[in-house]
């Protein structure tokens, strides 16, 4: 019997306890040991649960109990999750987590501490909810040089965009629904402003390239400015708008890493990833494209990945298996202004023909797009690849000619 502790009894934590209790037999077969949840740490009271006796408010109960070998940290946030995780690893306990914020900000340090203490720090649930992605990248694709990873990494925003596009639901109503379904973060700004997807692409990039990529180095934009007219132009262009986290290795060895809404062609595999589903494309030099698809958020999908990590820890209590990356710095990341890509632009103007002529002077290879019921004072066009800095300069010049740019969205090559 292996004793485990669960820190946090929110959406994911309660799912972890439920999955362990409902799958005892299968877990026992796979890990050759019975799992017993000895403690659940939470500051709230849960008097009416069949396992209410397991709750504690005191972290030291877990830390000082040598019987507890594996701890699931599903509290979220950096503090006190970081302090508790560090203390557990230093005390010789393996830790598993769904906490992408913590892995993305302190991963290199915690992995080092785990290694020094000969225990595991595993975080399959931190990216893609129930989709296996950390192990496939770290193990199954280990023979490849990863050229690119790109994906829909946030279930909440994908759910919102799908509801807006298909059902013309308002942004606010779709977000409320995502919260009720347990998809959104405690502070949903982390979802809609792109920070959650940023943390996830940082984890994947760190795993692929062996150096910690910190979130503050990544150009991050969410979906709050996306309008139904942009959605309609995207459709007329032949694609859809998705919030994409992407990292590409450039020829000079730096990484083009961003999180932003992108136009993707309808023929792309990611174009049909809807609702709370995530889709992650990994481009290996040997494999070519490999795509992972599944539910990216929610209680049981995420709990499934956490419990799989617990089982892995139990199977490797003696022979450790290390996931590892080193500390990194800003020299790894190409400054956003220097990255090169094509864009879509939507603008308001008094004379759309004159505005299109001005745009043609400023941007490379423009193509005007039309849509049904477009107002007369609206201009939308795509332009060929330019650096982000050159685009900003061209936008400023276009605006100084009396045209108001309302949207600028990257066009992806996925
Ligand atoms: N809020 C996150 C999402 C939860 O919507 O993807 C899963 O990481």
């Amino acid at each position: 019997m292996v004793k485990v502790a669960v820190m946090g009894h929110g959406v994911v934590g309660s799912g972890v306890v439920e999955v362990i209790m409902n799958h005892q037999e299968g877990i026992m077969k796979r890990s050759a040991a019975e799992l017993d949840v000895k403690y659940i740490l939470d500051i709230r009271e849960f008097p009416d649960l069949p396992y209410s006796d397991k709750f504690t408010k005191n972290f030291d109960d877990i830390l000082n109990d040598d019987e507890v070998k594996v701890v699931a940290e599903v509290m979220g946030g950096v503090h006190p999750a970081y302090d508790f995780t560090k203390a557990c690893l230093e005390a010789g306990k393996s830790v598993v987590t769904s906490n992408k914020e913590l892995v993305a900000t302190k991963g290199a340090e915690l992995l080092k501490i785990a290694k020094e203490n000969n225990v595991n720090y595993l975080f399959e649930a931190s990216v893609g909810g129930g989709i296996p992605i950390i192990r496939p990248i770290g193990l199954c694709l280990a023979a490849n040089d990863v050229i690119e990873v790109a994906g829909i990494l946030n279930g909440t925003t994908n759910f919102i965009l799908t509801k807006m596009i298909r059902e013309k639901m308002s942004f606010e109503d779709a977000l409320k629904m995502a919260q009720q379904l347990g998809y959104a973060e405690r502070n949903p700004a982390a979802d809609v402003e792109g920070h959650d997807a940023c943390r996830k692409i940082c984890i994947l990039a760190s795993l692929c390239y062996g150096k910690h990529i910190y979130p503050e180095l990544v150009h991050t934009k969410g979906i709050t400015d996306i309008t139904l007219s942009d959605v309609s132009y995207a459709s007329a262009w032949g694609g859809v708008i998705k919030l994409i986290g992407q990292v590409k290795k450039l020829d000079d060895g730096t990484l083009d890493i961003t999180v932003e809404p992108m136009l993707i062609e309808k023929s792309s595999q990611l174009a049909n990833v809807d609702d709370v589903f995530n889709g992650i494309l990994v481009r290996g030099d040997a494999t070519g494209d490999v795509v992972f698809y599944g539910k990216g958020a929610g209680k049981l999908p995420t709990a499934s990945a956490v419990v799989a990590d617990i089982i892995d820890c139990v199977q490797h209590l003696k022979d450790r298996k290390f996931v590892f990356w080193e500390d990194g710095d800003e020299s790894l990341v190409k400054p956003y202004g220097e990255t090169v890509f094509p864009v879509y632009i939507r603008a308001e103007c008094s004379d759309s023909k004159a505005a299109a002529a001005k745009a043609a002077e400023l941007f490379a290879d423009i193509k005007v797009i039309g849509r049904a019921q477009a107002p007369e004072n609206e201009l939308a066009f795509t332009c060929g690849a330019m650096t982000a800095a050159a685009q900003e300069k061209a936008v400023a010049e276009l605006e100084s000619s009396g045209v108001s740019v309302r949207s600028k969205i990257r066009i992806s090559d996925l």
Side-chain angles (χ1 to χ4, degrees), residues 240-283:
V240 289
I241 299 174
K242 294 284 186 189
L243 182 66
I244 301 287
Q246 183 176 42
V247 58
K248 278 187 199 182
K249 190 155 189 190
L250 302 173
D251 289 342
D252 65 3
T254 61
L255 302 176
D256 173 1
I257 177 166
T258 58
V259 172
E260 55 190 325
M262 291 191 195
L263 254 71
I264 54 177
E265 286 183 12
K266 281 194 182 120
S267 56
S268 162
Q269 298 204 57
L270 296 181
N272 297 311
V273 175
D274 287 328
D275 292 312
V276 73
F277 285 84
N278 284 190
I280 307 166
L281 178 147
V282 182
R283 188 164 289 165

Side-chain angles (χ1 to χ4, degrees), residues 100 126 153-157 183-185 191 196 200 278 296-298 302:
K100 50 262 157 134
S126 65
L153 299 171
N154 182 270
T156 301
T157 44
Y183 300 156
E185 297 301 297
D191 295 297
D196 178 76
K200 291 167 177 166
N278 284 190
T302 312

Side-chain angles (χ1 to χ4, degrees), residues 6-15 40-49 51-52 54-58 74-76 186:
V6 179
M7 300 198 294
H9 193 261
V11 174
V12 181
S14 58
I40 303 168
L41 181 71
D42 205 295
I43 49 171
R44 295 164 294 180
E45 305 279 344
F46 295 90
D48 301 324
L49 294 172
Y51 51 86
S52 290
K54 294 179 186 292
F55 280 86
T56 175
K57 293 187 170 66
N58 186 359
V74 281
M75 311 166 72
R186 240 178 317 181

